[in-house]
Amino acid sequence: MGDWLTPDAWQAVRLSLTVSLWAVAASLPLGILVAYALARWRFPGHGLLNGLVHLPLVLPPVVTGYLLLLTFGRRGWVGQWLDQVGIVLAFRWTGAALAAAVMAFPLMVRAIRLSIEAVDPRLEQAASTLGAPRVWVFLTVTLPLILPGILAGAILAFAKAMGEFGATITFVSNIPGQTQTLPSAIYAFLQVPGGEGAAARLVLIAIAIAMAALFLSEWLSRLVARRIRGL
Amino acid sequence: MLSVALRHAFPGFTLDAGFEAPAGLTALFGQSGSGKTTVVNAVAGLLRPQSGRIAVGDTVLTDSGRGIFLPPHRRGIGYVFQEARLFPHLTVRQNLLYGHWFTGRGRQPDLPRVVEMLGIGPLLPRRPAALSGGERQRVALGRAILSHPRMLLMDEPLAALDQPRKEEILPYLERLRDHAGLPILYVSHSPAEVARLATTVVLLDRGRVTAAGPVAAMLSDPAIAPLLGLSETGAILAARVEAQEADGLTRLSTPSGPLFLPRVKADVGAMLRLRILAQDVMIATAAPQGISALNVVPVQVRDLTPTGDGVLVRLDAGDQVILSRITARSAAALNLRPGLAVHAVLKAVSVAPGTIGVSAG
């Protein structure tokens, strides 16, 4: 393996895995909450929230990255405050994780929301008439039924995070060992003469991870459908 | 005792209903769209009425005047839905014990007794998807009972089932009504179910209660009975078992004379309630001769009520009432009028199943 990939490339793969795992793990609870709110609650601003969640899907990634920089940069209105408590995101791997999380969020929320909408709300009503408080209805009825949907959403988000480039490079730049993720590394290799070989190997890895994630997520989606039908 | 007073306006429809449901099974009867399910959902707390008050015994569940609205999980009201709504990811046993988990508070679940009563022992390890419609509904019934409710709601629990499956569940519902001691509010648009199960009937029409009372009185009231369905209209008669005769008949005594029924499995001296459908009663102005019907009772016409396609005749038999449904042509040909002494020919008499018309308490 060491011969096949240069240490720099290998480092980029490892960093991408770390960044993507953190991006998904940290945004999953919020993703479930937002998906539940969009699927089940009617409130003023429902459409606005829905639009906001989907914005990173349609905005040019460089715009998202720039907005992140304005907000979470050391001079940004959130970044300034975070700086005081010792958290710096700009030009760090944590910032790359934030950028990946924001970009992957719409995919995650969509998958989870679809599985929540497939759960019959009348089952939740039945649970409440049996004495279950709302939180317990969610934990004992809704959550077990949508678990495969959540996993599918997480996997899809992970794959998207692995491939995130535009917002990441705008927000945290392309610093080897710090913020150089797999796509940034491919870009960097392509910039230097003779880097095509290393780039091609990284491209293969990227394709393999993406395909595996898509298959896994597809399989889990089918599982959630079977489970809700009780088979 | 459940007491309900509700007002809730939907677009194009206003529910404005009030009634009381004593112990036993109270049937909420009406056409689709009459507001039955809305009432039941309001009792369960799944719908917050715009105004009204709902109480079970001393416990106020909803009181819009005082801003009281208990959420469903704090009402202690078991709800059996039309579709069983079993949790697909749990086994039958887990489904049955789901409510107990939240409402048990140190109590032992009465699982063995409920499982035995509903005959669902062999189903316990299965998943709901592997059950038939009738089995599912029985499990849903058990699940509601095991949540320690103070009363039960049933929203057309048999509507989604075919006739054999209905027959499979009805005996369990009768047992529940007679032995569980839980008040039951039962939504139905089937006169047959109401006649068989109810102790009290509340008639709902376009969001309003049009009549309410004990089932025997409702089914023999010519003004109300047609609303419940003419085929179920009939009188309920008290009778005492006198003797089991050698030719297989049972002799019963009623205030209006002896009646003979094919062998009734009851001890001599036992009191029974007989159900005589109006469509099974013929009227003769003279004592009929050479007729195969065994039961001919001398009666007096009390009144005649025109119904859709005929006439409902109320007949006084001693201090009890027998109903007869005949055609308008027959009524005219016999010149029936109040006070006329006639003979009622009973083509069929059945023993009321279970304890129909008798409060479960």
Side-chain angles (χ1 to χ4, degrees), chain A residues 122-123 125 128 130-132 140 230, chain B residues 73 85-86 89 98-99 102 129:
Chain A
R122 294 177 305 177
L123 286 177
Q125 286 185 341
S128 69
L130 290 165
T140 59
Chain B
H73 67 272
R85 301 197 193 180
L86 300 180
H89 57 299
Y98 185 88
F102 296 101

Side-chain angles (χ1 to χ4, degrees), chain B residues 197-220:
Chain B
L197 294 173
T199 49
T200 306
V201 180
V202 175
L203 276 183
L204 207 57
D205 184 31
R206 275 161 291 178
R208 274 158 219 280
V209 174
T210 48
V215 67
M218 297 281 280
L219 285 173
S220 61

